Amino acid sequence: MFIFSVDEQKLVRTIDIGAAPMGLLYPEHGDYFFVSSIKDKAITVLRKARDPQDVEIVGKVNYGRFRHMALSRDGRTLFAPVYEQREIAVIDVEALKVVKAFKLDEGCSLIATSPVGNDIYAVGYDSGKVYVLDAGTGELLRTITTHGEFRDIKVILEADKPPLKTASAG
């Protein structure tokens, strides 16, 4: 994994996580950030730091071929789809272990958490449907049918949407 300085426009640190990184989740909240790797079937958990030299590996979660990840609002639970097992691994960040898994018939590729409430939004791998699950129990709350393919997913509040620009007559 490489850390670049935008100000200096150069590489400032390399951290060996054991295999090629696949996904990165650097949330605004919480003390950690996460790097997934398909080859070693792991998520590496790293402690955030102001100085790149102080970034440290806290540990790894070995379970399945992870790629995308989403973090709970409190920063204590990480959700990561494992397509081959057609499930979402629920990871206790402090304990560095999978504490449960939510099965989905078709599995999922992308995942996001709600900025309010306790919901997970999982994009089905085959259909592109969005499955809304209770983050605590994995219970399916509703399914949202969509058209097209997803490359990313983010759940935003209605109040956070940018205002529409309208042309004024005159």
Side-chain angles (χ1 to χ4, degrees), residues 78-110:
L78 185 69
F79 302 95
V82 184
Y83 177 69
E84 290 83 359
Q85 297 171 8
R86 297 186 181 269
E87 66 185 26
I88 299 168
V90 181
I91 300 165
D92 180 315
V93 173
E94 291 292 327
L96 294 172
K97 70 179 204 174
V98 176
V99 293
K100 56 184 148 182
F102 302 146
K103 290 283 188 189
L104 288 173
D105 288 342
E106 70 172 296
C108 74
S109 56
L110 298 170

Side-chain angles (χ1 to χ4, degrees), residues 8 10 12 14 26 28 30 36 42-44 61 64 71 88 92 104 115-116 121-122 133 138-139 144 158:
E8 299 173 39
K10 69 176 189 175
V12 294
T14 301
Y26 197 98
E28 292 179 21
S36 64
I43 293 174
T44 302
V61 177
L71 190 64
I88 299 168
D92 180 315
L104 288 173
V116 296
Y121 292 76
L133 308 168
E139 175 188 353
I144 304 168
E158 187 72 24

Side-chain angles (χ1 to χ4, degrees), residues 130-144:
V130 178
Y131 298 97
V132 183
L133 308 168
D134 180 282
T137 65
E139 175 188 353
L140 179 63
L141 302 175
R142 65 188 173 281
T143 302
I144 304 168

Side-chain angles (χ1 to χ4, degrees), residues 1-3 15-27 32-48 55-71 78 80 91 93 96:
M1 184 186 83
F2 303 110
I3 300 176
I15 300 174
D16 183 4
I17 64 165
M22 178 52 77
L24 169 69
L25 176 63
Y26 197 98
Y32 307 104
F33 68 100
F34 311 89
V35 180
S36 64
S37 173
I38 289 177
K39 184 175 181 183
D40 68 354
K41 298 181 178 181
I43 293 174
T44 302
V45 181
L46 300 103
R47 189 177 318 281
K48 293 178 181 177
V55 171
E56 64 181 355
I57 295 175
V58 175
K60 285 190 175 196
V61 177
N62 294 293
Y63 184 76
R65 290 175 37 139
F66 299 110
R67 185 171 180 184
H68 300 284
M69 302 161 281
L71 190 64
L78 185 69
I91 300 165
V93 173
L96 294 172

